[in-house]
Amino acid sequence: MAENNVTRTLVRAAVARALREIEEDQRRAMRRITDMGRQFSRSRFQILVFDIIQEFLSDDDSIYYAMTENLLQATDHDSLADFGVNLAYMSWTHGARILRRSQKALGVCLPWEISLCYDPGREDSLTQDEIRRIIDQGRELGIYTWHINQRSAKGPGSALPDLMAEYPDCAFFWGLSRNDLTADQASALKNCRNAMVLLNGKARGLTDCAALLRREKLLFGVWASYKAKEDLDGLKEDLISSLARDTLAPYLVLVPEEGADPSVMEEASLFCRRARMDQAASCLLVDYAGDSRMISDLICGHRQFLAVGPDRRILYPGSTGERIFDREADLSALFKDIFPPCPEDFPAEDLPASV
């Protein structure tokens, strides 16, 4: 663990230096950083990502140059560095290495990230102490990315930024169902540089909350849900462009509701992939279910993930029915009970340096 802390520190310093260089000469610095990242890639996922980025940046008119410039101007650079390192290195590199070994040892598929719903207004919801216990167990297995979806940001939930700050090596997506983030919570987030706030694109207060986060230079995005085809069509036709325009959010994620039609989920995933490849959106467009499963397939060899609802029901994998996440549940035992066997032919180690 100490060796990894040193490596993370070195990676963090390199990223901070790269951000300064991008401010001075954006195109040259971004290409150099991407080339260096591709050179030292050791996993199939890293190689794929850097190959795609290299192709995009070969075009001087790429929309991703403008996206990067807007992100650097609107966001605190320390937050960008911490969150980026925790996602790309701690989760997709260091964590993925541990995760592959853990799933070989347990004999079952393990998710690279976990989605938890936290509702301080419900007695049957996960508590903050339980969330801490889940994160502690997950980190031991190699899980460093967490989606915490909160039903209300007021009241007892006001300490959630403090909880996320307790895990400086993790990346958190803090999704709000109500856009009721307070000025005090926004201030607290300045000490929690490993989190991205996700505002509800269909709830009231969106533009005011986005303006608050921009003033504080905090990393944020917008989420919007869909269930049926008409929901997705509405997002594609107008809502996505209006959300990006009204909030200036650099990140927009589509989230399937419980019971969403699988064919609609597949359509949403394909739509987001095409939008990124065709550079058709002014922000980074992501489909939560599809992209999470794609990343899982590349770094773990399977497409499983775990999501826990506001009433502690295990929503994904769907085969668990009405199973409740027990208050004293051991995460490893739970995975062995609800996930299928891990693929035997997927390598546990990184690719050799000669690749």
Side-chain angles (χ1 to χ4, degrees), residues 133-263:
R133 186 169 60 83
I134 294 170
I135 293 173
D136 287 337
Q137 293 182 25
R139 287 171 72 250
E140 291 295 321
L141 296 171
I143 303 169
Y144 285 85
T145 296
W146 303 87
H147 288 250
I148 302 182
N149 306 306
Q150 187 165 337
R151 291 302 173 97
S152 174
K154 293 181 178 178
S158 61
L160 203 52
D162 296 334
L163 183 154
M164 295 184 290
E166 294 174 18
Y167 299 93
D169 57 357
C170 289
F172 290 94
F173 292 89
W174 185 24
L176 301 181
S177 293
R178 303 175 187 173
N179 299 321
D180 53 1
L181 192 71
T182 66
D184 287 342
Q185 289 172 325
S187 179
L189 279 167
K190 289 186 175 181
N191 298 319
C192 180
R193 301 185 309 205
N194 57 338
M196 176 188 289
V197 181
L198 294 178
L199 304 177
N200 188 346
K202 296 183 179 180
R204 291 181 297 178
L206 174 64
T207 54
D208 288 342
C209 205
L212 169 63
L213 293 169
R214 287 200 308 272
R215 284 196 302 272
E216 299 294 340
K217 289 203 162 190
L218 294 169
L219 187 61
F220 80 99
V222 175
W223 69 273
S225 65
Y226 64 90
K227 186 172 185 178
K229 181 171 174 53
E230 51 265 31
D231 302 324
L232 181 60
D233 289 342
L235 287 170
K236 291 161 62 175
E237 290 170 6
D238 180 61
L239 188 58
I240 289 174
S241 60
S242 65
L243 288 176
R245 181 185 64 245
D246 295 342
T247 66
L248 301 179
Y251 179 83
L252 179 58
V253 55
L254 306 187
V255 181
E257 298 177 14
E258 184 179 0
D261 188 327
S263 66

Side-chain angles (χ1 to χ4, degrees), residues 42-44 96-98 100-101 104 299 346-352:
R42 295 291 179 269
S43 72
R44 291 160 178 80
R97 188 180 305 123
I98 299 175
R100 289 191 293 269
R101 295 171 183 170
K104 288 288 186 182
I299 66 177
F346 194 81
E349 302 299 327
D350 291 334
L351 295 173

Side-chain angles (χ1 to χ4, degrees), residues 43-106:
S43 72
R44 291 160 178 80
F45 177 62
Q46 291 172 311
I47 291 171
L48 174 63
V49 168
F50 281 113
D51 282 348
I52 293 173
I53 294 175
Q54 282 179 324
E55 181 178 351
F56 286 154
L57 298 185
S58 64
D59 178 8
D60 284 336
D61 296 324
S62 171
I63 195 174
Y64 290 106
Y65 284 117
M67 284 187 190
T68 302
E69 184 177 359
N70 292 337
L71 185 62
L72 288 173
Q73 291 177 351
T75 311
D76 173 71
H77 289 190
D78 285 332
S79 296
L80 282 176
D82 283 354
F83 183 84
V85 167
N86 289 354
L87 184 62
Y89 172 69
M90 290 303 300
S91 190
W92 293 344
T93 307
H94 169 72
R97 188 180 305 123
I98 299 175
L99 196 61
R100 289 191 293 269
R101 295 171 183 170
S102 296
Q103 68 177 17
K104 288 288 186 182
L106 292 175

Side-chain angles (χ1 to χ4, degrees), residues 6 16 32 45 54 66-67 89 105 112 115 120 140 147 172 193 202 228 241 259 283 309-311 313 322 326 337 342:
V6 172
R32 187 175 69 81
F45 177 62
Q54 282 179 324
M67 284 187 190
Y89 172 69
W112 72 272
S115 175
E140 291 295 321
H147 288 250
F172 290 94
R193 301 185 309 205
K202 296 183 179 180
S241 60
C283 60
D311 55 358
R313 278 186 306 125
E322 294 296 310
D326 187 77
D337 194 22
C342 65

